[in-house]
Amino acid sequence: GGWAGYYQSEGQASVGTGVSLVGTSLAELRTSDGEVEVPGGGKLAITGGVTIQGSSAAFLIEDAEVSVVGNVALKGTAGGAGLSVDTFDSFESGKLTVEGSVTVAGGSGGAEFSAYGQATKITGNVSVTGSANVSASAGGFIGTEIGGNFTVAGTSAHPDFFFADGPLTVGGNTAVSLGGGANSVEVGSAPVHFKGNLSVTTGSGVDFVSLTA
């Protein structure tokens, strides 16, 4: 149909055959802790991977905890795609673990990867690509760990962003390739470890690049 979604507020759930959400408009997977007062109030465990595909594709984790065995693929078209891990009022949750790779492809729209919860761990590669605004930010209270390569690519004249202002470890190579426009690349003073090569390429326009040791 037009909209495809899975929304979980509170409680615990597990899926053993993967999750596939495919729509012609918005496709969204959202988890939160709702109004639960106990730590770790919203948990979702998925075996078999996740596919979210639509005009817009979103994977949102809000004060919840999600684990995925398999790859995660977000595929948007005109409306873009985004994955976000956030902690608003929880000292326990806001966590994502993926035993596989993550792809965020915005098509002709934008793409966002935002890991600012408690902790994000992805054992494989992370790829963030789009044709409008592209944004990748990684940190969190405990930090973000990517076992493979971290690739961020934008192709348009819209502003693109790459922020690493919290604990971040990338086991493979990190490649940031941004299009024209006023782009920003910032690596903060929090512990950031690029174990492979780091490359930054920008197009025409006035760009801001800051690498803090």
Side-chain angles (χ1 to χ4, degrees), residues 131-162:
S131 299
N133 300 84
V134 173
S135 174
S137 53
F141 291 96
I142 298 173
T144 298
E145 181 179 347
I146 298 170
N149 299 324
F150 192 9
T151 303
V152 180
T155 60
S156 75
H158 296 277
D160 300 319
F161 304 92
F162 177 86

Side-chain angles (χ1 to χ4, degrees), residues 10-12 33-43 63 89-93:
E10 307 178 2
Q12 300 185 17
D33 66 348
E35 302 299 327
V36 171
E37 298 296 332
V38 298
K43 292 185 177 181
D63 284 326
D89 55 10
S90 170
F91 294 104
E92 298 288 335
S93 298

Side-chain angles (χ1 to χ4, degrees), residues 32-123:
S32 75
D33 66 348
E35 302 299 327
V36 171
E37 298 296 332
V38 298
K43 292 185 177 181
L44 173 62
I46 301 170
T47 300
V50 174
T51 298
I52 305 172
Q53 181 174 338
S55 177
S56 299
F59 190 170
L60 308 176
I61 301 169
E62 301 165 341
D63 284 326
E65 184 174 341
V66 177
S67 63
V68 180
V69 178
N71 296 326
V72 174
L74 280 73
K75 303 176 183 178
T77 55
L83 184 152
S84 176
V85 184
D86 285 308
T87 295
F88 297 111
D89 55 10
S90 170
F91 294 104
E92 298 288 335
S93 298
K95 298 178 181 178
L96 171 64
T97 301
V98 177
E99 296 182 31
S101 295
V102 172
T103 301
V104 181
S108 61
E112 178 183 14
F113 175 86
S114 176
Y116 277 130
Q118 289 287 336
T120 299
K121 182 177 181 179
I122 299 163
T123 62

Side-chain angles (χ1 to χ4, degrees), residues 138 146 148 150 162-166 168-176 185-188 190-200 210-212:
I146 298 170
F150 192 9
F162 177 86
F163 297 133
D165 53 359
L168 168 66
T169 299
V170 181
N173 298 324
T174 301
V176 180
V185 177
E186 298 184 48
V187 177
V192 177
H193 302 286
F194 298 112
K195 294 186 177 181
N197 297 323
L198 169 65
S199 65
V200 176
S210 174
L211 305 177
T212 303

